[in-house]
Amino acid sequence: MLTFQQKIHILESFPQLERRDVSLGRVNFHYEGSIYDKKTVGYHLHPNGNGFIYAGRLDRPDVNDKGFVNIRDFTEPELRQLVQQSIDSLSGLSTSYSGSPVPGIGAAAISGDTSGLGIQAAISGENSSEELWHDPEGTSLLLKPEDDLWYVYAGSTIEMVFETREEAEEYLREEGFAP
């Protein structure tokens, strides 16, 4: 079994992936070049050795109901191969994936102010579920669904992650933010 650091090193060796540290010491890796709404390749890599790689567009028997494969006991070659297959499937390069891209999903163009907290977002698509929240001081946070979770971003940094939209909205309201 690979250690947490070895798994992180392997995923960091793919220059097309962007590392995002999340709660409880876990790490996600996103592929912004995805032609699909799905962008997460590495999900919740944890210091205890657990972690998942997106394989929802691959024909694999070990894919869970959310489209991920548990990589806890993977060898380095197995992990490298699965990560590459995941990236290829999200790029439209793989012939072993199924489904079609989700066109017009609102992608936010985010730029932080000098404090790193303000957000200017241009959200395209009328059905986007991304939403900007503002506080009285002018700080903005982006609420965005991703991988069946709700992320609150301050600029490009993940502020909080919630299992439901309701939990995320409750948190934002308690912190003084409004849509």
Side-chain angles (χ1 to χ4, degrees):
M1 180 174 86
L2 297 169
T3 67
F4 172 68
Q5 288 303 326
Q6 289 170 321
K7 290 174 185 172
I8 294 296
H9 180 73
I10 290 167
L11 272 85
E12 286 178 336
S13 73
F14 288 86
Q16 57 273 59
L17 297 181
E18 176 185 319
R19 178 181 172 152
R20 294 191 182 171
D21 294 337
V22 292
S23 62
L24 304 174
R26 296 175 297 190
V27 179
N28 290 350
F29 285 86
H30 288 236
Y31 174 52
E32 294 301 323
S34 175
I35 64 171
Y36 300 93
D37 188 35
K38 173 66 74 185
K39 301 214 182 293
T40 303
V41 171
Y43 180 66
H44 283 181
L45 276 74
H46 192 277
N48 71 7
N50 216 12
F52 301 88
I53 299 295
Y54 179 70
R57 298 188 173 283
L58 302 174
D59 185 22
R60 292 183 60 107
D62 53 350
V63 175
N64 69 19
D65 60 342
K66 293 184 180 180
F68 288 91
V69 172
N70 188 310
I71 59 166
R72 182 176 188 82
D73 297 320
F74 272 42
T75 64
E76 181 175 351
E78 290 171 331
L79 180 56
R80 286 189 182 282
Q81 180 181 20
L82 181 57
V83 170
Q84 188 61 60
Q85 288 173 341
S86 179
I87 292 168
D88 289 348
S89 74
L90 293 172
S91 301
L93 299 177
S94 174
T95 57
S96 63
Y97 71 94
S98 61
S100 60
V102 180
I105 295 296
I110 301 172
S111 62
D113 66 9
T114 56
S115 70
L117 296 175
I119 299 173
Q120 295 177 350
I123 300 176
S124 62
E126 295 177 16
N127 295 327
S128 175
S129 50
E130 296 175 2
E131 188 173 55
L132 273 179
W133 288 63
H134 310 278
D135 73 1
E137 289 81 38
T139 302
S140 298
L141 297 176
L142 179 66
L143 176 61
K144 180 179 179 180
E146 208 169 290
D147 303 321
D148 298 323
L149 296 171
W150 288 87
Y151 287 76
V152 176
Y153 287 93
S156 61
T157 304
I158 296 173
E159 178 78 18
M160 294 290 286
V161 181
F162 299 92
E163 290 186 3
T164 67
R165 182 182 186 107
E166 291 74 27
E167 290 173 330
E169 289 179 353
E170 179 181 343
Y171 164 78
L172 288 164
R173 285 192 177 90
E174 286 174 359
E175 296 296 317
F177 288 82

